[in-house]
Every structure is written in C-alpha cells, then in structure tokens.
C-alpha cells in the first residue's frame, strides 16, 4: 500500500527557516498529488500548501509569501521562512491518486496520510 513519510521537524527560532520533506512510496506510477497540512491540539486540521496535477502550487492564507512548496518526483518539500510561534504544529503529508488523464489536488481531497512531523518555534 502507498505510504508517506515526513521528515525535517525539530526546533527553530522565531524568524528562522526550516524545510520539511515528504517521500511517497508504494505508488505504481506518478499519477498522484501531494500536499501539506498542519494541526495544533484543540484546533482543526489546516491546509498549508500543495501542488495539483496541473503543477500549480496552492498556499493557505496564513503561509502565503513565507512558505514555498515544490515537488521532485516522489518527494514534496516545504521551505518555511520567517517562522512564527503560531506556525508550530504537527505537519502531515497527504496524497491522493488520480485516474489516467484526470486531475487531483490533495488539499481538496486526500486519502493517504503520513504520521506527521512536529517542530517548535522558540524565541
């Protein structure tokens, strides 16, 4: 079965940068989309950034201009800059398959999830 594995969590100073990575395995081909979500205890899951089948990056309002998402084959990376305390969370990688010739966007619909990677922001 397809699996997603996140890495890159840890601790970073406010205003600093951190890069998260998600590697997908087990897909029979490249016909799937990937995205990043985050969740803080007591709050609902929030879409952060993703790349649809058309190759267009999409960002949540709270991270647009500070984060950059890009994909290289089976790896989705999230470059995070100007980090704030409110960015600290568990970040989850998500994916969704598409039919041949179809489209997908994991920010809208996803059925594969990683276990998450967590980072904190210090002063």
């Amino acid at each position: 079965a397809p699996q997603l594995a996140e890495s890159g969590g840890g601790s970073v100073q406010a205003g600093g940068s951190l890069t998260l990575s998600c590697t997908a395995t087990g897909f029979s081909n490249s016909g799937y989309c990937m995205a990043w979500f985050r969740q803080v205890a007591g709050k609902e899951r929030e879409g952060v950034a993703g790349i649809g089948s058309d190759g267009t990056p999409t960002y949540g309002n709270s991270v647009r201009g500070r984060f950059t998402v890009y994909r290289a084959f089976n790896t989705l990376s999230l470059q995070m800059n100007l980090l704030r305390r409110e960015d600290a969370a568990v970040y989850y990688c998500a994916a969704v398959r598409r039919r041949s010739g179809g489209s997908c966007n994991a920010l809208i619909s996803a059925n594969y999830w990683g276990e998450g990677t967590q980072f904190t922001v210090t002063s």
Side-chain angles (χ1 to χ4, degrees), residues 44-116:
E44 65 181 11
R45 184 176 58 201
E46 175 189 14
V48 178
I51 300 177
S53 55
D54 63 356
T56 302
T58 302
Y59 299 95
N61 291 334
S62 63
V63 306
R64 188 176 296 107
R66 298 186 297 119
F67 291 12
T68 302
V69 64
Y70 59 94
R71 178 174 176 176
F73 186 47
N74 66 330
T75 300
L76 188 73
S77 298
L78 183 68
Q79 294 181 334
M80 304 181 293
N81 303 314
L82 300 173
L83 286 167
R84 308 162 180 168
R85 290 184 180 181
E86 54 264 39
D87 292 319
V90 178
Y91 282 69
Y92 296 93
C93 184
V96 62
R97 305 186 70 150
R98 67 169 178 86
R99 297 185 300 176
S100 179
S103 62
C104 58
N105 188 331
L107 283 175
I108 298 175
S109 179
N111 56 359
Y112 298 98
W113 296 87
E115 294 185 355

